Amino acid sequence: MSGTFVGMPAFPAAARDAVHDPTLRATLRHATHTIRDKRARAVAELPDWQRLREAGKRVKDHTLRHLDRYLLQLEESVVLAGGTVHWAADADEANRIVADLVKATGEREVVKVKSMATQEIGLNEALAAEGITAYETDLAELIVQLGHDRPSHILVPAIHRNRGEIRDIFRAEMGAWGRPAPDGLGDSPAELAEAARLHLREKFLRARVGVSGANFMVAETGTLVVLESEGNGRMCLTLPETLISVVGIEKTVPTWRDLEIFLQTLPRSSTAERMNPYTSMWTGTADGDGPSVFHLVLLDNGRTDTLADEVGRQALRCIRCSACLNVCPVYERAGGHAYGSVYPGPIGAILSPQLRGTTSEIDASLPYASSLCGACYEVCPVAIDIPEVLVHLRERVARQGGPGHRVEKAAMKAASWAMDRPAVLAAAERAATRTRRLHLARLPGAGAWTAERELPRIPEKSFRDWWKEREE
Amino acid sequence: MNSRDRVLARIRSALAGAPDAPAGPRDYLAAHVPDDPAAVLDLLHENLADYRALVHRTDGAGLPGLLARLLAARGSATVLVPPGLPPQWLAGTAATRVADRAHSTAAELDEVDSVVTGCALAIAETGTIVLDGGPDQGRRRITLIPDHHVCVVRAPEQIVASVPQAMERLDPGRPLTWISGPSATSDIELDRVEGVHGPRTLEVVLVVS
Ligand code: SF4
């Protein structure tokens, strides 16, 4: 997996800087708490939430269990509907396929709707090396791109920027990319959004190639689905003549009807809305409506390695809602950049080391970027047991020695004796996850974390529950 | 070995010996509201409004007059008309009709003030209208580029209660656009701003028979 944030320090070092940046901490705290509270209300509207969650989990596990079969069915359906399917084993191959497809159109620029898969493979940089400019069109992605920056949140990539910073970036950078910012641009969100509208509209109206990811792909029908809010997705998906979608193989669902589960759980978990403003669904090409050429690039890039891990494969259920980020006490303090990956927060801590392997220092440190409090598991709409996978990955890092071992030692000063006794450590951590709400203060492995900051309050009710169980 | 075979082979070896994983029960609810057309209509109205769509109610006879008033209130001189929109809907307006021709460019559509369409269906629980490119809706781009979209929903026959009920009625072979309120962003300090790229104003007309 490329798209590693080059030169990023390992998690503990990067996080230490972030937690000492008071502006960043205040911005993050405000943002995560706002979304978190709204989400809880949106979820509470559905009395069958736990059943939807279970159904989503089961559908995803079933798909993963038969992924070869469903991918072949998907391929057949897309081709039948007039699309072309490409398979990419890794990032380089995916980038080469996309670059060649763009070059074949004779175009030198593409408009992009926000896509984590293309960020993961470093597509924009790869296209730039081929003389092709990729314009990000999601407002937050535009802020990130113009700011020569990295996204720091799955859903709100510019969550680390305040309005004054955004105005300064627009004023300084828009002109170099196209239509400059209006004179006297202020810092109200409405003015900033209007500036983005004008800047991007010029690009949409002349774009001939669009690049997207997808939230879901339906094997049965060949339908791709993109959920968004601003309409930039609709612009990229329907105005160009050629559409290229780069999608991770795990985004497959078997049937059309399966979408009814995720269209209920994803918006509520993500933006805390009953439904996001725009959802586009397309099946191949449609006569006279939208792109006349459609390419689907199916991306592996470490996903099959993840699939091979019995405990870790559940990470592939992820529908990228970002709910786990917003409840995570570690993410709230450290921010997304500390994770050194396009996938930040709890999901990033288990996904990145699996996609990229645990040989680098940052990847070996990610399984420690957690207090194992379990909040991420509770909000996850597909019930990924993130703490379980974290503990599992810690065992892997501990076993492999090398740079990972060194990082682990640094992260675990308080429990360093256990490092020479992996079995003891594993048992301790497993026990810790089982009673994880209780002792956030001193978990083995959380030492480096908790030494630096105040701890989340221990929920009283859970303590009582635990106590009762213990007494019985 | 090409990449297709390589990826498939990796999947098969990754899953060798993995336990069966049946898709499991679908015991979630088919809808979250009672099966009562009047209540479902009210819920749609409420949820559309909650998403800052402007909602109006009328009957068949009142529709042309209402549409004319909505376009006039907006000062719209031109209105985009999908090929199969019932002509009587726009019988009351003086706005110049603009047809969406196959070769109309995005820049031309950008000059039009408003667009009026029908819909495939509307979902009450989520406050969503769904377009499927039918003759009274036209191509996806015509409801995207103009800044003012008026969408007509026929009650009760075009209204479903829930997402599962919508999936049952929709045809995946058609290009589908689900719209819940006007275009919006919360990317700047989570302050909601409407109208980034899609229409800034969405008006929904519920025509009750
Ligand atoms: S792991 Fe779960 S909660 Fe986190 S982004 Fe993925 S689906 Fe959402």
Side-chain angles (χ1 to χ4, degrees), chain A residues 154 269 315 317-325 346-347 350 376 379-384 386:
Chain A
I154 293 178
S269 293
R317 294 205 293 259
C318 176
I319 56 174
R320 315 275 189 262
C321 71
S322 75
C324 58
L325 277 63
I347 182 61
I350 61 168
C376 49
V379 296
C380 179
V382 284
I384 300 172
I386 295 176

Side-chain angles (χ1 to χ4, degrees), chain A residues 93 194 201 258 274 300, chain B residues 3 10 26 51 110 172 200:
Chain A
E93 188 176 13
E194 181 66 18
R201 184 154 283 232
D258 293 327
R274 295 185 190 103
D300 178 349
Chain B
S3 292
R10 284 180 189 167
R26 278 172 205 273
Y51 277 166
D110 198 24
R200 266 181 270 232

Side-chain angles (χ1 to χ4, degrees), chain A residues 48 51 58 62 65 68 75 93 163 194 197 201 230 234 258 260 274 277 279 281 283 288 300, chain B residues 3-4 10 21 26-29 32 51 110 139 143 172 176 178 180 183 187 189 196-197 200:
Chain A
D48 56 340
R51 279 178 276 168
R58 299 282 290 269
H62 171 75
R65 179 64 189 82
D68 50 342
E75 178 183 53
E93 188 176 13
R163 60 186 71 191
E194 181 66 18
R197 178 185 175 100
R201 184 154 283 232
E230 295 172 12
R234 294 180 63 193
D258 293 327
E260 73 194 21
R274 295 185 190 103
T279 298
M281 303 184 183
T283 304
D300 178 349
Chain B
S3 292
R4 180 178 187 269
R10 284 180 189 167
R26 278 172 205 273
D27 54 359
Y28 49 83
L29 302 173
H32 299 85
Y51 277 166
D110 198 24
R139 299 192 287 173
T143 53
L176 299 172
W178 296 39
S180 310
S183 158
D187 279 347
E189 295 182 18
V196 197
H197 303 300
R200 266 181 270 232

